[in-house]
């Protein structure tokens, strides 16, 4: 059932600008660092010495949690709006597909789109490093793949919360505003505590136990997703 709902959602997002957003974030972050390194290449080469790839990754990852949380907010709203704008919730939920399958399919769609965006960021960063003349034999493949995926795991609670709110609320102003606030708060969350959930996207990359924070993000994200699924399955959606 979930597979059928997911296949239907893939068709629905065509021509909705969602794929543009998926490509926009990694291209934007890569372009930002292309400008940064292009203007200060000699200085940055001296600063990072023999670890040019590490320096590039550290410059990129500063903006990744913010981009992920904003992306999760906007993607959730756009996915939910496919049904809200067409007024098709009643028709969709009248089909012989459980509400839980409908909700899970949209959650999986959002996760897949963010994973694709994260992997595109990996490709963009590697390509930028090669263009800048970094040694191809020294590409830290593990770290470049971790660059987007571990912060995404840490940011999963925000995605789950935003999808929940956008799915059950026709007016998207409140959930989108909340998502922007959470994304901005996430930039300063380490000053509160590394165990504060909004800090997990950062700690999943540079924390002393990065996999632990990624796991905490996945665990809380799935818990919020389950709560949202239960609420959605019992709520009348217009």
């Amino acid at each position: 059932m979930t597979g059928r709902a997911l296949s239907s959602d893939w068709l629905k997002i065509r021509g909705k600008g969602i794929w543009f957003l998926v490509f926009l974030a990694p291209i934007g972050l890569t372009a930002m660092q292309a400008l940064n390194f292009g203007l200060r290449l000699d200085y940055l080469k001296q600063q990072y010495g023999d670890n040019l790839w590490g320096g590039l990754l550290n410059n990129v990852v500063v903006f990744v949690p913010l981009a992920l949380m904003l992306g999760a907010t906007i993607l959730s709203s756009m996915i939910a709006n496919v049904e809200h704008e067409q007024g098709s919730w009643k028709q969709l939920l009248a089909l012989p597909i459980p509400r839980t399958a409908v909700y899970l399919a949209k959650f999986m769609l959002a996760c897949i789109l963010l994973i694709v965006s994260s992997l595109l960021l990996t490709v963009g960063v590697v390509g930028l490093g090669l263009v800048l003349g970094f040694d191809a034999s020294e590409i830290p493949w593990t770290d470049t793949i971790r660059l987007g995926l571990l912060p995404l795991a840490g940011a999963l609670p925000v995605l789950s919360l935003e999808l929940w709110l956008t799915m059950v609320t026709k007016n998207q102003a409140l959930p989108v505003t909340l998502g922007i606030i959470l994304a901005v708060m996430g930039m300063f969350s380490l000053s509160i505590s590394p165990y504060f959930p909004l800090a997990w996207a950062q700690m999943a990359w540079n924390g002393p136990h990065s996999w632990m924070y990624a796991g905490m993000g996945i665990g809380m994200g799935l818990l919020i997703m389950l709560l949202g699924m239960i609420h959605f399955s019992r709520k009348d959606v217009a």
Side-chain angles (χ1 to χ4, degrees), residues 48 51 53-63 147 205-206:
Y48 296 117
N51 189 21
W53 285 104
L56 176 59
L57 293 179
N58 286 331
N59 274 269
V60 173
V61 79
V62 171
F63 304 96
L147 177 66
W205 167 261
N206 57 16

Side-chain angles (χ1 to χ4, degrees), residues 135-164:
D135 191 343
S137 64
E138 297 179 357
I139 297 175
W141 287 109
T142 300
D143 285 341
T144 55
I145 294 173
R146 288 173 60 241
L147 177 66
L149 295 181
L150 285 189
L152 173 56
L156 198 63
V158 174
L159 171 61
S160 298
L161 178 62
E162 283 300 308
L163 186 68
W164 180 359

Side-chain angles (χ1 to χ4, degrees), residues 160-236:
S160 298
L161 178 62
E162 283 300 308
L163 186 68
W164 180 359
L165 295 177
T166 55
M167 288 274 284
V168 299
T169 306
K170 187 171 184 178
N171 185 346
Q172 299 292 289
L174 176 61
V176 170
T177 301
L178 176 61
I180 294 172
I181 292 172
L182 292 177
V184 174
M185 287 179 59
M187 298 175 63
F188 309 100
S189 55
L190 282 179
S191 62
I192 301 175
S193 169
Y195 295 103
F196 186 58
L198 292 178
W200 293 350
Q202 297 183 57
M203 295 301 292
W205 167 261
N206 57 16
H209 306 288
S210 59
W211 291 99
M212 178 186 75
Y213 290 101
M216 290 165 62
I218 292 173
M220 179 170 282
L222 292 178
L223 176 60
I224 295 174
M225 185 273 291
L226 288 173
L227 293 175
M229 182 187 298
I230 293 171
H231 181 218
F232 178 78
S233 66
R234 297 177 178 177
K235 179 179 173 63
D236 289 333

Side-chain angles (χ1 to χ4, degrees), residues 1-2 5 89-90 92-106 167-168 228-238:
M1 290 292 187
T2 302
W89 277 119
K90 290 185 177 180
L92 175 62
L93 299 178
L95 296 174
I97 300 177
R99 286 190 172 205
T100 54
V102 172
Y103 192 95
L104 182 59
K106 294 190 183 297
M167 288 274 284
V168 299
M229 182 187 298
I230 293 171
H231 181 218
F232 178 78
S233 66
R234 297 177 178 177
K235 179 179 173 63
D236 289 333
V237 181

